[in-house]
Amino acid sequence: MSEARPTLEELKRRKALSRQRVERSGEVMTVSMGPQHPSMHGVYRAELDLDGEVIVAVRPEIGNLHRGVEKLCEERTYHQIIPITDRLDYLASFVMNHGYCEAVEKLMGVEVPPRGRYIRTLAAELCRIANHIMWLGIHIMDLGTQTFFCICFRDREYILDLLEMLTGARLTHSFGRIGGVAKDLPDGFDRRCRKVIDFLPRRVAEYERIVKHNRIYYKRAKGVGIFTSEDCFAWRVTGPPLRSAGVARDLRRDEPYAAYDEMDFEVAVEYNADVYDRFLVRMKEIRESCKIVRQCLDNLPDGPFVASDAVHALPLKKNVLRDSAAMIQDFYQVFQGPLAPKGEVYRAIEAPKGEMGVYIRSEGGAHPARIHFATPSFYHGQAVPPLVEGEMISDMVAIFASVDVVLGDCDR
Amino acid sequence: MSDPIAQLIFLIIKAILVPVLIVMMVAFIIFFERKFAGFFQGRVGPTYLGPWGSFQSFGDIFKLLSKEDLIPAKSDKPVFRLAPYIIFLPAFLVMAVLPFGPVGGEANLFGYRFDYVIANFDAGLVLFLALGAIAVYGVVLAGWSSNGNFSLLGGLRAGAQMISYELAMGFSVVGVMLMANSMSLVDIVEGQAGNFWDWYFIPQVVGGLIFFVATLAELNRTPFDLAEAEQELVAGYLTEYSGMRWGIFMFAEYVNLVVISGIVSTLYFGGWRAPLEVLDFIPGPIWLFIKICVFVFIYMWVRWTIFRYRYNQLMSMGWKVLLPLSILNLVVTAIVVSVAG
């Protein structure tokens, strides 16, 4: 990197340049952007005050996709909550299962067997790759070219095929289980996965050739939507936007869960805190994810993939009709659900979009008393006003895409 | 039959035939745009209607005709209704000055002289620029009369964009005017007689490129499709239009695409002339058709490949890069022409 790393003061000065436009603004026109606007990624609505093309003020409105997920969870057993978590960030639904299962395991003290931890890591990284490729397509489409969107969707399809093979579903995987995962790796998965993982870095290089060195992309993305590390901390912005601001915070490395402590990977960091660097960070992350998936396949340990903990985990399905103990366990798990001790836990994992925290308060029994998902999109969505004020309306869509918001994740 | 009467009959035939042929061409160009977009994106494009999906445009037209014509309650209704035609008409009028074969000379059809141009107009190039400027009124009025925020922004963007590009466009074609020593498109094609190395795109390479970029802005196509930027302004000035009124806008856009491809090939690529003199036995209209197809393809290619500029970047590119370059091109051309000839 020949470019010098900008200091925090330098970034603040650059940000202040765009803020000046807000102070100079005169009469404003109010525009309602969304919820059915083409580039509001679902049903986000923003009321913009525009002075010409410059955005003077933004009043975001969320909740159009609110489904009462947290309340629904209170009525269900700990196993039954897993499919609901799929519907949070539906572009990386296994990661949502994973975060929830980690929290429940912490609450109940369930130990996940090594093979289960490896399969979780593998599936989570595949989800991360799929999410980042999808993000790239949408981000580029928001900048005006639709062809690249189709290229990205073609490549995402390879990952979705793998996930379908692994979990049986393309979008809502419901693959996590308390104490492990739902299924073992299917036959032939190893070979097919390696094939995809081998060519994917070449595809990333192709994306970079198309996008990174594109003059128009550079002009549109460089220095736009600056969000310094201070701002990120103040607004709880995590994940790629935080790492693009020069903070090497990645829960996979800092607070390892699943099998990440046994993996060798680098945390992608960039320093300019703008849209361009968020793109670079995500491209690096796809490469690192490929590395992690390969390591998972190479070092996959033998043994059970789900804990044999009869009190908290479901039995293997094939044993249920043959083994009376397993049948009793199944009956008990399905009709009553696992019992949790009294207490509260918070567990955060690194979802593709940022840090995804799960808070569970249990008063004993089979249902959680309160469950809260601290999902990244919610915090990224609330940071939209400080991100875009002073920028132009064309940048609004680019910046909004660059922080990666999924409304299912945001509204819950 | 005396010659003036024969000329009048020819004129009527030409004035009907040329627009009809171009309209037919447009129907298939819309189809090819979708087909090529599909190929660029690894899809197949339309396939169901007709062989290879080629009747898709007709299906679209019937769909648009059968749709309800919605006019916003608070719009300025007369202007709202008028706006599509302000765009539509100039696109057709430019065809009048576009030569598609040899003009003048001896009798070549039933003992009469048939000119392959509807109007051999001395200031054809100026007419083209003027009509292009009028079409902008259509966009601005459409945006303004819709009484919607996104429409208004789209219309204003189109207005600002046109002002910054028409200038560079005007200056870049002056180079061609100087070389041909005429403002008539017929004379400009005459000036490029010979083989393809006699065409103006070689001496006027800078002007040609500027003109090409400016036509992209004129056509509202991708790097400069700010006026209808889907991801930002929903559909810009078209947001409130529906049914056939919307269809007329789209139709005018594609007629413009054909006409401007014709203008580009006439100004810089020899118009209806064959690339080599030995190929002159193939008639001029066919060569012009081939050239138009090539340029239409290039415009499609650009559209499905490139990102969109931001509004202020487009303005600064127009005023700070293209305009000085086109003036420089003009000055250099003027010096070279006056010294050499």
Side-chain angles (χ1 to χ4, degrees):
Chain A
M1 284 279 143
S2 57
E3 209 176 331
R5 289 177 191 175
T7 59
L8 189 60
E9 278 64 42
E10 169 64 16
L11 285 176
K12 278 182 180 167
R13 195 185 60 75
R14 287 186 204 165
K15 178 77 186 166
L17 282 180
S18 62
R19 294 288 309 183
Q20 277 176 8
R21 290 191 233 170
V22 175
E23 278 132 39
R24 282 202 302 263
S25 65
E27 200 183 334
V28 294
M29 174 169 97
T30 305
V31 176
S32 170
M33 205 168 183
Q36 22 20 6
H37 188 281
S39 59
M40 283 293 111
H41 298 198
V43 287
Y44 190 84
R45 176 172 175 263
E47 237 178 66
L48 309 178
D49 282 349
L50 297 177
D51 176 30
E53 295 264 328
V54 176
I55 296 168
V56 177
V58 184
R59 289 176 294 281
E61 182 193 298
I62 60 165
N64 288 304
L65 201 58
H66 181 67
R67 293 149 299 173
V69 163
E70 288 168 7
K71 187 68 190 165
L72 282 174
C73 292
E74 289 172 20
E75 304 295 318
R76 275 156 179 75
T77 67
Y78 288 97
H79 289 307
Q80 288 170 336
I81 293 171
I82 291 171
I84 298 178
T85 59
D86 276 343
R87 274 78 181 168
L88 292 173
D89 179 0
Y90 36 75
L91 298 178
S93 48
F94 174 69
V95 182
M96 299 290 124
N97 300 163
H98 189 181
Y100 166 73
C101 290
E102 291 278 345
V104 173
E105 282 150 14
K106 191 176 167 187
L107 177 70
M108 297 179 179
V110 180
E111 190 69 31
V112 184
R115 193 176 174 87
R117 290 193 286 120
Y118 268 72
I119 296 176
R120 278 184 176 185
T121 311
L122 185 143
E125 290 310 308
L126 287 178
C127 279
R128 190 181 311 275
I129 297 170
N131 179 75
H132 283 355
I133 292 178
M134 169 105 175
W135 168 83
L136 179 65
I138 288 176
H139 174 55
I140 299 305
M141 192 170 75
D142 282 348
L143 293 172
T145 179
Q146 284 168 9
T147 302
F148 199 70
F149 175 74
C150 294
I151 296 177
C152 289
F153 262 60
R154 182 192 65 193
D155 293 344
R156 178 173 175 255
E157 205 65 17
Y158 294 111
I159 305 290
L160 289 189
D161 284 348
L162 286 178
L163 283 169
E164 187 185 354
M165 202 174 168
L166 183 62
T167 69
R170 281 161 54 86
L171 199 66
T172 48
H173 306 307
S174 294
F175 187 56
R177 291 288 182 274
I178 295 166
V181 291
K183 276 185 274 184
D184 203 354
L185 294 189
D187 293 339
F189 180 83
D190 188 272
R191 196 174 53 84
R192 225 169 124 181
C193 186
R194 276 175 202 278
K195 232 164 130 183
V196 173
I197 293 305
D198 282 341
F199 80 71
L200 215 60
R202 287 208 299 279
R203 279 285 158 77
V204 176
E206 190 185 324
Y207 301 154
E208 291 193 334
R209 224 170 41 243
I210 300 171
V211 178
K212 190 176 168 184
H213 307 297
N214 186 308
R215 234 183 114 72
I216 302 179
Y217 182 74
Y218 189 85
K219 278 175 123 174
R220 286 293 304 272
K222 194 79 192 167
V224 168
I226 291 175
F227 213 55
T228 60
S229 49
E230 269 185 11
D231 296 334
C232 288
F233 293 136
W235 292 85
R236 203 256 195 213
V237 168
T238 49
L242 178 65
R243 288 194 280 278
S244 77
V247 182
R249 179 175 164 81
D250 190 329
L251 290 183
R252 292 178 293 171
R253 190 198 58 184
D254 298 342
E255 296 169 24
Y257 53 94
Y260 285 111
D261 48 349
E262 292 154 44
M263 299 292 155
D264 172 34
F265 67 100
E266 279 167 33
V267 177
V269 186
E270 289 289 336
Y271 300 92
N272 286 308
D274 54 10
V275 174
Y276 192 75
D277 281 18
R278 282 170 214 147
F279 160 74
L280 295 180
V281 163
R282 286 196 173 90
M283 290 304 102
K284 276 189 191 169
E285 281 190 9
I286 296 180
R287 289 210 173 90
E288 295 301 321
S289 292
C290 290
K291 262 166 68 182
I292 295 174
V293 171
R294 190 170 295 119
Q295 288 173 45
C296 284
L297 291 173
D298 286 343
N299 308 327
L300 193 68
D302 289 329
F305 53 86
V306 65
S308 52
D309 182 340
V311 186
H312 299 117
L314 285 162
L316 292 179
K317 199 74 195 167
K318 65 175 184 201
N319 292 344
V320 170
L321 297 177
R322 295 188 192 143
D323 179 359
S324 62
M327 194 174 176
I328 293 165
Q329 185 188 347
D330 188 64
F331 188 85
Y332 171 78
Q333 291 294 338
V334 169
F335 284 90
Q336 187 202 354
L339 298 178
K342 243 180 168 172
E344 51 187 338
V345 290
Y346 178 80
R347 188 80 177 90
I349 62 157
E350 188 74 23
K353 295 181 169 60
E355 284 172 22
M356 187 260 192
V358 180
Y359 166 80
I360 302 175
R361 184 162 60 82
S362 161
E363 287 171 354
H367 310 287
R370 174 82 172 96
I371 194 159
H372 178 63
F373 298 103
T375 47
S377 297
F378 179 75
Y379 299 101
H380 294 180
Q382 77 173 351
V384 165
L387 267 164
V388 302
E389 275 168 13
E391 307 279 358
M392 304 186 96
I393 190 168
S394 313
D395 294 330
M396 158 100 189
V397 290
I399 296 168
F400 184 67
S402 79
V403 293
D404 206 358
V405 176
V406 153
L407 265 290
D409 200 23
C410 179
D411 292 349
R412 299 195 289 270
Chain B
M1 198 159 53
S2 66
D3 193 54
I5 294 173
Q7 289 302 325
L8 187 68
I9 292 168
F10 286 156
L11 183 68
I12 292 167
I13 291 170
K14 283 184 286 189
I16 292 170
L17 207 61
V18 170
V20 166
L21 284 177
I22 288 187
V23 166
M24 289 303 290
M25 204 172 154
V26 163
F28 284 96
I29 280 174
I30 294 173
F31 159 70
F32 275 109
E33 169 110 57
R34 299 177 66 166
K35 207 78 187 169
F36 284 134
F39 294 156
F40 288 137
Q41 300 176 352
R43 301 183 281 117
V44 289
T47 48
Y48 283 91
L49 205 59
W52 204 45
S54 57
F55 295 163
Q56 184 66 37
S57 307
F58 303 107
D60 286 344
I61 290 168
F62 285 121
K63 186 201 79 175
L64 288 172
L65 281 172
S66 61
K67 284 189 100 168
E68 187 188 353
D69 175 30
L70 280 171
I71 299 181
K74 288 190 177 170
S75 63
D76 190 334
K77 290 191 184 66
V79 182
F80 189 85
R81 290 202 181 93
L82 183 68
Y85 303 103
I86 301 180
I87 298 179
F88 193 63
L89 270 183
F92 272 87
L93 289 178
V94 178
M95 292 174 196
V97 293
L98 194 67
F100 49 93
V103 176
E106 290 118 49
N108 51 2
L109 193 70
F110 310 127
Y112 297 102
R113 182 170 54 82
F114 183 82
D115 290 336
Y116 285 84
V117 64
I118 298 174
N120 187 357
F121 185 47
D122 283 342
L125 207 46
V126 178
L127 184 78
F128 160 67
L129 291 175
L131 289 172
I134 286 175
V136 186
Y137 281 94
V139 178
V140 176
L141 289 177
W144 175 73
S145 65
S146 302
N147 196 17
N149 291 334
F150 288 119
S151 306
L152 182 64
L153 278 173
L156 291 179
R157 275 183 176 190
Q161 175 181 333
M162 289 299 159
I163 292 167
S164 30
Y165 276 83
E166 295 264 294
L167 281 174
M169 195 171 178
F171 278 115
S172 61
V173 294
V174 174
V176 174
M177 270 184 216
L178 288 175
M179 292 197 68
N181 203 12
S182 168
M183 284 195 274
S184 159
L185 291 173
V186 175
D187 293 343
I188 286 170
V189 178
E190 285 307 314
Q192 302 178 67
N195 298 309
F196 66 86
W197 51 85
D198 296 315
W199 294 352
Y200 287 153
F201 79 94
I202 295 173
Q204 287 292 320
V205 62
V206 178
L209 281 174
I210 294 168
F211 186 78
F212 181 75
V213 173
T215 51
L216 284 174
E218 177 102 7
L219 286 168
N220 270 327
R221 289 175 83 82
T222 293
F224 311 118
D225 63 342
L226 297 172
E228 48 189 284
E230 187 197 323
Q231 286 79 14
E232 295 151 27
L233 302 182
V234 189
Y237 63 95
L238 291 171
T239 309
E240 305 293 342
Y241 280 89
S242 60
M244 205 53 207
R245 259 177 240 288
W246 181 86
I248 289 173
F249 274 110
M250 278 293 119
F251 195 60
E253 194 182 312
Y254 281 93
V255 172
N256 248 325
L257 180 67
V258 177
V259 169
I260 285 183
S261 301
I263 296 279
V264 173
S265 38
T266 301
L267 290 181
Y268 295 97
F269 292 87
W272 51 269
R273 287 190 174 277
L276 292 167
E277 272 175 345
V278 289
L279 294 171
D280 271 346
F281 63 91
I282 300 173
I286 291 178
W287 282 115
L288 186 66
F289 177 76
I290 292 170
K291 286 174 188 174
I292 286 177
C293 289
V294 169
F295 280 102
V296 166
F297 177 73
I298 291 174
Y299 282 121
M300 288 179 189
W301 193 3
V302 170
R303 172 171 179 181
W304 296 109
T305 310
I306 293 183
F307 295 76
R308 183 187 302 120
Y309 268 106
R310 204 199 304 157
Y311 175 72
N312 57 343
Q313 288 167 345
L314 172 127
M315 300 287 278
S316 70
M317 188 170 147
W319 291 102
K320 292 180 188 163
V321 181
L322 293 185
L323 186 62
L325 257 183
S326 61
I327 293 174
L328 190 72
N329 177 56
L330 169 63
V331 171
V332 172
T333 311
I335 293 170
V336 170
V337 167
S338 60
V339 168

